[in-house]
PDB file of all heavy atoms in Angstrom:
ATOM      1  N   THR B   1     157.627  50.947 124.790  1.00 84.00           N
ATOM      2  CA  THR B   1     156.205  51.077 124.476  1.00 84.00           C
ATOM      3  C   THR B   1     155.310  50.253 125.390  1.00 84.00           C
ATOM      4  O   THR B   1     154.102  50.295 125.244  1.00 84.00           O
ATOM      5  CB  THR B   1     155.933  50.666 123.018  1.00 84.00           C
ATOM      6  OG1 THR B   1     156.349  49.313 122.838  1.00 84.00           O
ATOM      7  CG2 THR B   1     156.666  51.572 122.055  1.00 84.00           C
ATOM      8  N   GLY B   2     155.867  49.509 126.322  1.00 83.00           N
ATOM      9  CA  GLY B   2     155.048  48.700 127.208  1.00 83.00           C
ATOM     10  C   GLY B   2     154.197  49.545 128.138  1.00 83.00           C
ATOM     11  O   GLY B   2     154.587  50.642 128.537  1.00 83.00           O
ATOM     12  N   THR B   3     153.029  49.051 128.497  1.00 84.00           N
ATOM     13  CA  THR B   3     152.129  49.813 129.363  1.00 84.00           C
ATOM     14  C   THR B   3     152.686  49.958 130.775  1.00 84.00           C
ATOM     15  O   THR B   3     152.339  50.887 131.486  1.00 84.00           O
ATOM     16  CB  THR B   3     150.746  49.134 129.435  1.00 84.00           C
ATOM     17  OG1 THR B   3     150.921  47.785 129.880  1.00 84.00           O
ATOM     18  CG2 THR B   3     150.080  49.135 128.077  1.00 84.00           C
ATOM     19  N   GLU B   4     153.545  49.056 131.186  1.00 82.00           N
ATOM     20  CA  GLU B   4     154.133  49.127 132.521  1.00 82.00           C
ATOM     21  C   GLU B   4     155.418  49.943 132.547  1.00 82.00           C
ATOM     22  O   GLU B   4     156.057  50.061 133.587  1.00 82.00           O
ATOM     23  CB  GLU B   4     154.418  47.710 133.035  1.00 82.00           C
ATOM     24  CG  GLU B   4     153.174  46.870 133.240  1.00 82.00           C
ATOM     25  CD  GLU B   4     152.286  47.408 134.340  1.00 82.00           C
ATOM     26  OE1 GLU B   4     152.819  47.806 135.396  1.00 82.00           O
ATOM     27  OE2 GLU B   4     151.064  47.452 134.146  1.00 82.00           O
ATOM     28  N   GLY B   5     155.856  50.485 131.412  1.00 82.00           N
ATOM     29  CA  GLY B   5     157.072  51.285 131.374  1.00 82.00           C
ATOM     30  C   GLY B   5     158.309  50.409 131.369  1.00 82.00           C
ATOM     31  O   GLY B   5     158.289  49.278 130.907  1.00 82.00           O
ATOM     32  N   ALA B   6     159.400  50.953 131.891  1.00 85.00           N
ATOM     33  CA  ALA B   6     160.669  50.226 131.950  1.00 85.00           C
ATOM     34  C   ALA B   6     160.985  49.898 133.401  1.00 85.00           C
ATOM     35  O   ALA B   6     160.792  50.734 134.286  1.00 85.00           O
ATOM     36  CB  ALA B   6     161.790  51.067 131.345  1.00 85.00           C
ATOM     37  N   VAL B   7     161.489  48.706 133.642  1.00 85.00           N
ATOM     38  CA  VAL B   7     161.850  48.274 134.988  1.00 85.00           C
ATOM     39  C   VAL B   7     163.351  48.034 135.014  1.00 85.00           C
ATOM     40  O   VAL B   7     163.886  47.317 134.171  1.00 85.00           O
ATOM     41  CB  VAL B   7     161.099  46.971 135.372  1.00 85.00           C
ATOM     42  CG1 VAL B   7     161.531  46.491 136.742  1.00 85.00           C
ATOM     43  CG2 VAL B   7     159.599  47.199 135.328  1.00 85.00           C
ATOM     44  N   PHE B   8     164.038  48.662 135.966  1.00 84.00           N
ATOM     45  CA  PHE B   8     165.479  48.525 136.107  1.00 84.00           C
ATOM     46  C   PHE B   8     165.768  47.867 137.442  1.00 84.00           C
ATOM     47  O   PHE B   8     165.284  48.321 138.478  1.00 84.00           O
ATOM     48  CB  PHE B   8     166.169  49.892 136.026  1.00 84.00           C
ATOM     49  CG  PHE B   8     165.926  50.599 134.725  1.00 84.00           C
ATOM     50  CD1 PHE B   8     164.929  51.541 134.599  1.00 84.00           C
ATOM     51  CD2 PHE B   8     166.693  50.299 133.616  1.00 84.00           C
ATOM     52  CE1 PHE B   8     164.698  52.182 133.398  1.00 84.00           C
ATOM     53  CE2 PHE B   8     166.467  50.932 132.403  1.00 84.00           C
ATOM     54  CZ  PHE B   8     165.471  51.874 132.301  1.00 84.00           C
ATOM     55  N   GLY B   9     166.582  46.813 137.430  1.00 83.00           N
ATOM     56  CA  GLY B   9     166.910  46.103 138.656  1.00 83.00           C
ATOM     57  C   GLY B   9     167.938  46.820 139.506  1.00 83.00           C
ATOM     58  O   GLY B   9     167.998  46.616 140.712  1.00 83.00           O
ATOM     59  N   HIS B  10     168.741  47.669 138.893  1.00 85.00           N
ATOM     60  CA  HIS B  10     169.789  48.384 139.626  1.00 85.00           C
ATOM     61  C   HIS B  10     169.799  49.837 139.168  1.00 85.00           C
ATOM     62  O   HIS B  10     168.802  50.341 138.692  1.00 85.00           O
ATOM     63  CB  HIS B  10     171.139  47.692 139.416  1.00 85.00           C
ATOM     64  CG  HIS B  10     171.155  46.293 139.945  1.00 85.00           C
ATOM     65  ND1 HIS B  10     171.204  46.004 141.284  1.00 85.00           N
ATOM     66  CD2 HIS B  10     171.083  45.093 139.318  1.00 85.00           C
ATOM     67  CE1 HIS B  10     171.188  44.693 141.459  1.00 85.00           C
ATOM     68  NE2 HIS B  10     171.107  44.120 140.267  1.00 85.00           N
ATOM     69  N   SER B  11     170.917  50.491 139.252  1.00 86.00           N
ATOM     70  CA  SER B  11     170.974  51.924 138.969  1.00 86.00           C
ATOM     71  C   SER B  11     170.858  52.213 137.479  1.00 86.00           C
ATOM     72  O   SER B  11     171.125  51.362 136.640  1.00 86.00           O
ATOM     73  CB  SER B  11     172.272  52.507 139.513  1.00 86.00           C
ATOM     74  OG  SER B  11     173.370  51.958 138.819  1.00 86.00           O
ATOM     75  N   VAL B  12     170.447  53.445 137.182  1.00 86.00           N
ATOM     76  CA  VAL B  12     170.317  53.933 135.822  1.00 86.00           C
ATOM     77  C   VAL B  12     171.074  55.247 135.735  1.00 86.00           C
ATOM     78  O   VAL B  12     170.914  56.115 136.587  1.00 86.00           O
ATOM     79  CB  VAL B  12     168.840  54.171 135.452  1.00 86.00           C
ATOM     80  CG1 VAL B  12     168.725  54.750 134.056  1.00 86.00           C
ATOM     81  CG2 VAL B  12     168.052  52.893 135.561  1.00 86.00           C
ATOM     82  N   GLU B  13     171.912  55.383 134.716  1.00 86.00           N
ATOM     83  CA  GLU B  13     172.626  56.635 134.478  1.00 86.00           C
ATOM     84  C   GLU B  13     172.206  57.162 133.117  1.00 86.00           C
ATOM     85  O   GLU B  13     172.301  56.453 132.119  1.00 86.00           O
ATOM     86  CB  GLU B  13     174.137  56.412 134.479  1.00 86.00           C
ATOM     87  CG  GLU B  13     174.689  56.005 135.822  1.00 86.00           C
ATOM     88  CD  GLU B  13     176.200  55.839 135.789  1.00 86.00           C
ATOM     89  OE1 GLU B  13     176.866  56.582 135.025  1.00 86.00           O
ATOM     90  OE2 GLU B  13     176.686  54.964 136.509  1.00 86.00           O
ATOM     91  N   THR B  14     171.728  58.397 133.096  1.00 85.00           N
ATOM     92  CA  THR B  14     171.322  59.000 131.836  1.00 85.00           C
ATOM     93  C   THR B  14     171.378  60.520 131.957  1.00 85.00           C
ATOM     94  O   THR B  14     171.108  61.062 133.018  1.00 85.00           O
ATOM     95  CB  THR B  14     169.899  58.562 131.425  1.00 85.00           C
ATOM     96  OG1 THR B  14     169.559  59.183 130.189  1.00 85.00           O
ATOM     97  CG2 THR B  14     168.871  58.912 132.467  1.00 85.00           C
ATOM     98  N   PRO B  15     171.730  61.203 130.875  1.00 85.00           N
ATOM     99  CA  PRO B  15     171.733  62.660 130.936  1.00 85.00           C
ATOM    100  C   PRO B  15     170.353  63.271 130.698  1.00 85.00           C
ATOM    101  O   PRO B  15     170.157  64.451 130.896  1.00 85.00           O
ATOM    102  CB  PRO B  15     172.698  63.056 129.818  1.00 85.00           C
ATOM    103  CG  PRO B  15     172.601  61.947 128.845  1.00 85.00           C
ATOM    104  CD  PRO B  15     172.348  60.698 129.650  1.00 85.00           C
ATOM    105  N   HIS B  16     169.370  62.462 130.261  1.00 85.00           N
ATOM    106  CA  HIS B  16     168.089  63.053 129.887  1.00 85.00           C
ATOM    107  C   HIS B  16     166.973  62.013 129.985  1.00 85.00           C
ATOM    108  O   HIS B  16     167.100  60.907 129.458  1.00 85.00           O
ATOM    109  CB  HIS B  16     168.195  63.561 128.437  1.00 85.00           C
ATOM    110  CG  HIS B  16     167.031  64.375 128.003  1.00 85.00           C
ATOM    111  ND1 HIS B  16     167.094  65.729 127.842  1.00 85.00           N
ATOM    112  CD2 HIS B  16     165.776  64.034 127.684  1.00 85.00           C
ATOM    113  CE1 HIS B  16     165.924  66.181 127.443  1.00 85.00           C
ATOM    114  NE2 HIS B  16     165.109  65.163 127.336  1.00 85.00           N
ATOM    115  N   ILE B  17     165.886  62.366 130.655  1.00 86.00           N
ATOM    116  CA  ILE B  17     164.675  61.535 130.683  1.00 86.00           C
ATOM    117  C   ILE B  17     163.513  62.456 130.364  1.00 86.00           C
ATOM    118  O   ILE B  17     163.376  63.518 130.967  1.00 86.00           O
ATOM    119  CB  ILE B  17     164.440  60.889 132.066  1.00 86.00           C
ATOM    120  CG1 ILE B  17     165.565  59.935 132.424  1.00 86.00           C
ATOM    121  CG2 ILE B  17     163.114  60.134 132.083  1.00 86.00           C
ATOM    122  CD1 ILE B  17     165.434  59.360 133.815  1.00 86.00           C
ATOM    123  N   ARG B  18     162.672  62.054 129.399  1.00 84.00           N
ATOM    124  CA  ARG B  18     161.491  62.855 129.103  1.00 84.00           C
ATOM    125  C   ARG B  18     160.387  61.941 128.594  1.00 84.00           C
ATOM    126  O   ARG B  18     160.640  60.854 128.083  1.00 84.00           O
ATOM    127  CB  ARG B  18     161.790  63.961 128.109  1.00 84.00           C
ATOM    128  CG  ARG B  18     161.950  63.527 126.694  1.00 84.00           C
ATOM    129  CD  ARG B  18     162.146  64.738 125.773  1.00 84.00           C
ATOM    130  NE  ARG B  18     162.578  64.303 124.474  1.00 84.00           N
ATOM    131  CZ  ARG B  18     161.744  64.055 123.468  1.00 84.00           C
ATOM    132  NH1 ARG B  18     160.463  64.231 123.609  1.00 84.00           N
ATOM    133  NH2 ARG B  18     162.205  63.637 122.312  1.00 84.00           N
ATOM    134  N   ALA B  19     159.171  62.412 128.748  1.00 82.00           N
ATOM    135  CA  ALA B  19     158.011  61.676 128.247  1.00 82.00           C
ATOM    136  C   ALA B  19     157.705  62.127 126.830  1.00 82.00           C
ATOM    137  O   ALA B  19     158.187  63.169 126.372  1.00 82.00           O
ATOM    138  CB  ALA B  19     156.808  61.927 129.148  1.00 82.00           C
ATOM    139  N   GLU B  20     156.896  61.361 126.136  1.00 82.00           N
ATOM    140  CA  GLU B  20     156.423  61.749 124.808  1.00 82.00           C
ATOM    141  C   GLU B  20     155.589  63.024 124.928  1.00 82.00           C
ATOM    142  O   GLU B  20     155.021  63.291 125.988  1.00 82.00           O
ATOM    143  CB  GLU B  20     155.562  60.632 124.210  1.00 82.00           C
ATOM    144  CG  GLU B  20     156.343  59.422 123.758  1.00 82.00           C
ATOM    145  CD  GLU B  20     157.160  59.697 122.516  1.00 82.00           C
ATOM    146  OE1 GLU B  20     156.668  60.360 121.594  1.00 82.00           O
ATOM    147  OE2 GLU B  20     158.314  59.254 122.477  1.00 82.00           O
ATOM    148  N   PRO B  21     155.482  63.799 123.865  1.00 82.00           N
ATOM    149  CA  PRO B  21     154.639  64.995 123.922  1.00 82.00           C
ATOM    150  C   PRO B  21     153.216  64.633 124.349  1.00 82.00           C
ATOM    151  O   PRO B  21     152.673  63.627 123.923  1.00 82.00           O
ATOM    152  CB  PRO B  21     154.664  65.522 122.481  1.00 82.00           C
ATOM    153  CG  PRO B  21     155.932  64.992 121.919  1.00 82.00           C
ATOM    154  CD  PRO B  21     156.148  63.662 122.582  1.00 82.00           C
ATOM    155  N   SER B  22     152.652  65.458 125.201  1.00 81.00           N
ATOM    156  CA  SER B  22     151.297  65.306 125.777  1.00 81.00           C
ATOM    157  C   SER B  22     151.154  64.060 126.650  1.00 81.00           C
ATOM    158  O   SER B  22     150.048  63.610 126.908  1.00 81.00           O
ATOM    159  CB  SER B  22     150.225  65.314 124.679  1.00 81.00           C
ATOM    160  OG  SER B  22     150.209  64.085 123.963  1.00 81.00           O
ATOM    161  N   GLN B  23     152.258  63.496 127.113  1.00 81.00           N
ATOM    162  CA  GLN B  23     152.215  62.366 128.044  1.00 81.00           C
ATOM    163  C   GLN B  23     152.870  62.776 129.363  1.00 81.00           C
ATOM    164  O   GLN B  23     153.785  63.594 129.376  1.00 81.00           O
ATOM    165  CB  GLN B  23     152.963  61.158 127.465  1.00 81.00           C
ATOM    166  CG  GLN B  23     152.373  60.582 126.204  1.00 81.00           C
ATOM    167  CD  GLN B  23     151.047  59.907 126.450  1.00 81.00           C
ATOM    168  OE1 GLN B  23     150.847  59.240 127.453  1.00 81.00           O
ATOM    169  NE2 GLN B  23     150.119  60.089 125.529  1.00 81.00           N
ATOM    170  N   ASP B  24     152.413  62.195 130.465  1.00 83.00           N
ATOM    171  CA  ASP B  24     153.008  62.469 131.771  1.00 83.00           C
ATOM    172  C   ASP B  24     154.258  61.632 131.952  1.00 83.00           C
ATOM    173  O   ASP B  24     154.341  60.494 131.475  1.00 83.00           O
ATOM    174  CB  ASP B  24     152.030  62.126 132.901  1.00 83.00           C
ATOM    175  CG  ASP B  24     150.828  63.050 132.928  1.00 83.00           C
ATOM    176  OD1 ASP B  24     150.948  64.179 132.416  1.00 83.00           O
ATOM    177  OD2 ASP B  24     149.786  62.641 133.460  1.00 83.00           O
ATOM    178  N   LEU B  25     155.244  62.191 132.657  1.00 84.00           N
ATOM    179  CA  LEU B  25     156.438  61.439 133.039  1.00 84.00           C
ATOM    180  C   LEU B  25     156.299  61.086 134.508  1.00 84.00           C
ATOM    181  O   LEU B  25     156.050  61.945 135.345  1.00 84.00           O
ATOM    182  CB  LEU B  25     157.706  62.276 132.823  1.00 84.00           C
ATOM    183  CG  LEU B  25     159.012  61.621 133.290  1.00 84.00           C
ATOM    184  CD1 LEU B  25     159.300  60.360 132.471  1.00 84.00           C
ATOM    185  CD2 LEU B  25     160.166  62.590 133.177  1.00 84.00           C
ATOM    186  N   LYS B  26     156.458  59.807 134.818  1.00 85.00           N
ATOM    187  CA  LYS B  26     156.279  59.348 136.186  1.00 85.00           C
ATOM    188  C   LYS B  26     157.475  58.485 136.565  1.00 85.00           C
ATOM    189  O   LYS B  26     157.753  57.491 135.901  1.00 85.00           O
ATOM    190  CB  LYS B  26     154.986  58.543 136.282  1.00 85.00           C
ATOM    191  CG  LYS B  26     154.617  58.112 137.668  1.00 85.00           C
ATOM    192  CD  LYS B  26     153.252  57.424 137.642  1.00 85.00           C
ATOM    193  CE  LYS B  26     152.790  57.096 139.017  1.00 85.00           C
ATOM    194  NZ  LYS B  26     151.481  56.408 138.999  1.00 85.00           N
ATOM    195  N   LEU B  27     158.201  58.892 137.586  1.00 86.00           N
ATOM    196  CA  LEU B  27     159.280  58.090 138.153  1.00 86.00           C
ATOM    197  C   LEU B  27     158.738  57.507 139.445  1.00 86.00           C
ATOM    198  O   LEU B  27     158.315  58.251 140.328  1.00 86.00           O
ATOM    199  CB  LEU B  27     160.526  58.943 138.416  1.00 86.00           C
ATOM    200  CG  LEU B  27     161.136  59.644 137.210  1.00 86.00           C
ATOM    201  CD1 LEU B  27     162.305  60.509 137.646  1.00 86.00           C
ATOM    202  CD2 LEU B  27     161.588  58.643 136.182  1.00 86.00           C
ATOM    203  N   GLU B  28     158.779  56.193 139.566  1.00 84.00           N
ATOM    204  CA  GLU B  28     158.101  55.556 140.686  1.00 84.00           C
ATOM    205  C   GLU B  28     158.911  54.379 141.199  1.00 84.00           C
ATOM    206  O   GLU B  28     159.504  53.631 140.425  1.00 84.00           O
ATOM    207  CB  GLU B  28     156.723  55.073 140.203  1.00 84.00           C
ATOM    208  CG  GLU B  28     155.904  54.388 141.241  1.00 84.00           C
ATOM    209  CD  GLU B  28     154.560  53.944 140.685  1.00 84.00           C
ATOM    210  OE1 GLU B  28     154.528  53.370 139.583  1.00 84.00           O
ATOM    211  OE2 GLU B  28     153.551  54.164 141.364  1.00 84.00           O
ATOM    212  N   SER B  29     158.925  54.235 142.505  1.00 84.00           N
ATOM    213  CA  SER B  29     159.478  53.056 143.149  1.00 84.00           C
ATOM    214  C   SER B  29     158.428  52.554 144.134  1.00 84.00           C
ATOM    215  O   SER B  29     158.337  53.056 145.258  1.00 84.00           O
ATOM    216  CB  SER B  29     160.784  53.397 143.870  1.00 84.00           C
ATOM    217  OG  SER B  29     161.295  52.248 144.505  1.00 84.00           O
ATOM    218  N   PRO B  30     157.584  51.603 143.731  1.00 82.00           N
ATOM    219  CA  PRO B  30     156.422  51.228 144.542  1.00 82.00           C
ATOM    220  C   PRO B  30     156.760  50.638 145.916  1.00 82.00           C
ATOM    221  O   PRO B  30     155.997  50.800 146.851  1.00 82.00           O
ATOM    222  CB  PRO B  30     155.688  50.194 143.697  1.00 82.00           C
ATOM    223  CG  PRO B  30     156.286  50.255 142.352  1.00 82.00           C
ATOM    224  CD  PRO B  30     157.621  50.885 142.473  1.00 82.00           C
ATOM    225  N   THR B  31     157.902  49.957 146.048  1.00 82.00           N
ATOM    226  CA  THR B  31     158.185  49.290 147.323  1.00 82.00           C
ATOM    227  C   THR B  31     159.450  49.772 148.003  1.00 82.00           C
ATOM    228  O   THR B  31     159.715  49.386 149.136  1.00 82.00           O
ATOM    229  CB  THR B  31     158.307  47.764 147.113  1.00 82.00           C
ATOM    230  OG1 THR B  31     159.376  47.510 146.195  1.00 82.00           O
ATOM    231  CG2 THR B  31     157.014  47.190 146.584  1.00 82.00           C
ATOM    232  N   ARG B  32     160.249  50.593 147.341  1.00 82.00           N
ATOM    233  CA  ARG B  32     161.505  51.080 147.927  1.00 82.00           C
ATOM    234  C   ARG B  32     161.604  52.586 147.741  1.00 82.00           C
ATOM    235  O   ARG B  32     160.634  53.235 147.374  1.00 82.00           O
ATOM    236  CB  ARG B  32     162.704  50.377 147.253  1.00 82.00           C
ATOM    237  CG  ARG B  32     162.683  48.860 147.319  1.00 82.00           C
ATOM    238  CD  ARG B  32     162.975  48.373 148.700  1.00 82.00           C
ATOM    239  NE  ARG B  32     164.311  48.768 149.081  1.00 82.00           N
ATOM    240  CZ  ARG B  32     165.210  47.993 149.605  1.00 82.00           C
ATOM    241  NH1 ARG B  32     164.929  46.755 149.828  1.00 82.00           N
ATOM    242  NH2 ARG B  32     166.389  48.445 149.934  1.00 82.00           N
ATOM    243  N   SER B  33     162.786  53.139 147.927  1.00 83.00           N
ATOM    244  CA  SER B  33     162.957  54.576 147.778  1.00 83.00           C
ATOM    245  C   SER B  33     163.429  54.919 146.369  1.00 83.00           C
ATOM    246  O   SER B  33     163.971  54.075 145.663  1.00 83.00           O
ATOM    247  CB  SER B  33     163.952  55.100 148.807  1.00 83.00           C
ATOM    248  OG  SER B  33     165.203  54.475 148.628  1.00 83.00           O
ATOM    249  N   LEU B  34     163.234  56.162 145.989  1.00 84.00           N
ATOM    250  CA  LEU B  34     163.688  56.675 144.704  1.00 84.00           C
ATOM    251  C   LEU B  34     164.740  57.729 144.991  1.00 84.00           C
ATOM    252  O   LEU B  34     164.474  58.693 145.698  1.00 84.00           O
ATOM    253  CB  LEU B  34     162.523  57.285 143.917  1.00 84.00           C
ATOM    254  CG  LEU B  34     162.851  57.919 142.571  1.00 84.00           C
ATOM    255  CD1 LEU B  34     163.376  56.870 141.610  1.00 84.00           C
ATOM    256  CD2 LEU B  34     161.637  58.602 141.993  1.00 84.00           C
ATOM    257  N   VAL B  35     165.944  57.531 144.474  1.00 85.00           N
ATOM    258  CA  VAL B  35     167.061  58.434 144.752  1.00 85.00           C
ATOM    259  C   VAL B  35     167.573  58.990 143.435  1.00 85.00           C
ATOM    260  O   VAL B  35     167.818  58.234 142.496  1.00 85.00           O
ATOM    261  CB  VAL B  35     168.206  57.686 145.488  1.00 85.00           C
ATOM    262  CG1 VAL B  35     169.380  58.607 145.718  1.00 85.00           C
ATOM    263  CG2 VAL B  35     167.706  57.105 146.797  1.00 85.00           C
ATOM    264  N   MET B  36     167.722  60.321 143.368  1.00 86.00           N
ATOM    265  CA  MET B  36     168.343  60.967 142.217  1.00 86.00           C
ATOM    266  C   MET B  36     169.552  61.724 142.751  1.00 86.00           C
ATOM    267  O   MET B  36     169.419  62.547 143.656  1.00 86.00           O
ATOM    268  CB  MET B  36     167.371  61.930 141.537  1.00 86.00           C
ATOM    269  CG  MET B  36     166.234  61.218 140.839  1.00 86.00           C
ATOM    270  SD  MET B  36     165.203  62.337 139.849  1.00 86.00           S
ATOM    271  CE  MET B  36     164.325  63.202 141.121  1.00 86.00           C
ATOM    272  N   GLU B  37     170.728  61.430 142.203  1.00 86.00           N
ATOM    273  CA  GLU B  37     171.957  62.037 142.679  1.00 86.00           C
ATOM    274  C   GLU B  37     172.765  62.567 141.503  1.00 86.00           C
ATOM    275  O   GLU B  37     172.771  61.966 140.433  1.00 86.00           O
ATOM    276  CB  GLU B  37     172.829  61.016 143.411  1.00 86.00           C
ATOM    277  CG  GLU B  37     172.247  60.488 144.689  1.00 86.00           C
ATOM    278  CD  GLU B  37     173.194  59.493 145.334  1.00 86.00           C
ATOM    279  OE1 GLU B  37     173.128  58.311 144.972  1.00 86.00           O
ATOM    280  OE2 GLU B  37     173.997  59.924 146.181  1.00 86.00           O
ATOM    281  N   ALA B  38     173.457  63.683 141.736  1.00 85.00           N
ATOM    282  CA  ALA B  38     174.391  64.225 140.758  1.00 85.00           C
ATOM    283  C   ALA B  38     175.374  65.113 141.502  1.00 85.00           C
ATOM    284  O   ALA B  38     174.981  65.825 142.424  1.00 85.00           O
ATOM    285  CB  ALA B  38     173.670  65.022 139.688  1.00 85.00           C
ATOM    286  N   PRO B  39     176.645  65.082 141.149  1.00 86.00           N
ATOM    287  CA  PRO B  39     177.625  65.884 141.872  1.00 86.00           C
ATOM    288  C   PRO B  39     177.420  67.389 141.706  1.00 86.00           C
ATOM    289  O   PRO B  39     177.796  68.155 142.579  1.00 86.00           O
ATOM    290  CB  PRO B  39     178.964  65.440 141.285  1.00 86.00           C
ATOM    291  CG  PRO B  39     178.648  64.814 139.988  1.00 86.00           C
ATOM    292  CD  PRO B  39     177.262  64.266 140.101  1.00 86.00           C
ATOM    293  N   ARG B  40     176.789  67.796 140.609  1.00 84.00           N
ATOM    294  CA  ARG B  40     176.564  69.222 140.388  1.00 84.00           C
ATOM    295  C   ARG B  40     175.090  69.589 140.477  1.00 84.00           C
ATOM    296  O   ARG B  40     174.679  70.631 139.992  1.00 84.00           O
ATOM    297  CB  ARG B  40     177.137  69.640 139.039  1.00 84.00           C
ATOM    298  CG  ARG B  40     178.645  69.548 139.031  1.00 84.00           C
ATOM    299  CD  ARG B  40     179.312  69.949 137.763  1.00 84.00           C
ATOM    300  NE  ARG B  40     178.491  70.729 136.849  1.00 84.00           N
ATOM    301  CZ  ARG B  40     178.861  71.040 135.641  1.00 84.00           C
ATOM    302  NH1 ARG B  40     180.019  70.637 135.185  1.00 84.00           N
ATOM    303  NH2 ARG B  40     178.075  71.736 134.852  1.00 84.00           N
ATOM    304  N   GLY B  41     174.259  68.762 141.054  1.00 84.00           N
ATOM    305  CA  GLY B  41     172.859  69.094 141.280  1.00 84.00           C
ATOM    306  C   GLY B  41     171.912  68.318 140.394  1.00 84.00           C
ATOM    307  O   GLY B  41     172.288  67.782 139.364  1.00 84.00           O
ATOM    308  N   VAL B  42     170.669  68.263 140.840  1.00 85.00           N
ATOM    309  CA  VAL B  42     169.591  67.611 140.104  1.00 85.00           C
ATOM    310  C   VAL B  42     168.544  68.676 139.819  1.00 85.00           C
ATOM    311  O   VAL B  42     168.134  69.404 140.718  1.00 85.00           O
ATOM    312  CB  VAL B  42     168.961  66.457 140.921  1.00 85.00           C
ATOM    313  CG1 VAL B  42     167.762  65.879 140.201  1.00 85.00           C
ATOM    314  CG2 VAL B  42     169.985  65.380 141.203  1.00 85.00           C
ATOM    315  N   GLN B  43     168.127  68.772 138.569  1.00 85.00           N
ATOM    316  CA  GLN B  43     167.102  69.744 138.197  1.00 85.00           C
ATOM    317  C   GLN B  43     165.884  68.988 137.697  1.00 85.00           C
ATOM    318  O   GLN B  43     165.978  68.151 136.807  1.00 85.00           O
ATOM    319  CB  GLN B  43     167.606  70.679 137.111  1.00 85.00           C
ATOM    320  CG  GLN B  43     166.564  71.674 136.671  1.00 85.00           C
ATOM    321  CD  GLN B  43     167.066  72.596 135.574  1.00 85.00           C
ATOM    322  OE1 GLN B  43     168.243  72.644 135.285  1.00 85.00           O
ATOM    323  NE2 GLN B  43     166.160  73.325 134.967  1.00 85.00           N
ATOM    324  N   VAL B  44     164.733  69.290 138.296  1.00 84.00           N
ATOM    325  CA  VAL B  44     163.464  68.731 137.847  1.00 84.00           C
ATOM    326  C   VAL B  44     162.603  69.927 137.481  1.00 84.00           C
ATOM    327  O   VAL B  44     162.378  70.813 138.316  1.00 84.00           O
ATOM    328  CB  VAL B  44     162.795  67.891 138.952  1.00 84.00           C
ATOM    329  CG1 VAL B  44     161.477  67.339 138.475  1.00 84.00           C
ATOM    330  CG2 VAL B  44     163.716  66.768 139.409  1.00 84.00           C
ATOM    331  N   SER B  45     162.125  69.977 136.244  1.00 82.00           N
ATOM    332  CA  SER B  45     161.330  71.136 135.837  1.00 82.00           C
ATOM    333  C   SER B  45     160.137  70.679 135.016  1.00 82.00           C
ATOM    334  O   SER B  45     160.168  69.655 134.347  1.00 82.00           O
ATOM    335  CB  SER B  45     162.187  72.117 135.035  1.00 82.00           C
ATOM    336  OG  SER B  45     162.614  71.516 133.839  1.00 82.00           O
TER     337      SER B  45
END
């Protein structure tokens, strides 16, 4: 519930990420790169 979201120091593994209804989902890395990897593909919809 924090206004700054969640901060992870290293990798994150999860089968599902979603925002609350009527809220935007934002994945951001302000100073480095953002990498999404999966052996069978990554789907963003």
Side-chain angles (χ1 to χ4, degrees):
T1 59
T3 56
E4 295 294 317
V7 177
F8 300 96
H10 298 286
S11 65
V12 177
E13 294 182 33
T14 180
H16 189 107
I17 297 176
R18 75 176 168 93
E20 287 289 318
S22 75
Q23 296 291 321
D24 292 336
L25 176 64
K26 185 175 185 181
L27 301 177
E28 180 180 46
S29 179
T31 60
R32 303 288 297 228
S33 60
L34 178 64
V35 178
M36 291 188 287
E37 294 180 274
R40 293 181 17 188
V42 175
Q43 178 181 348
V44 179
S45 64

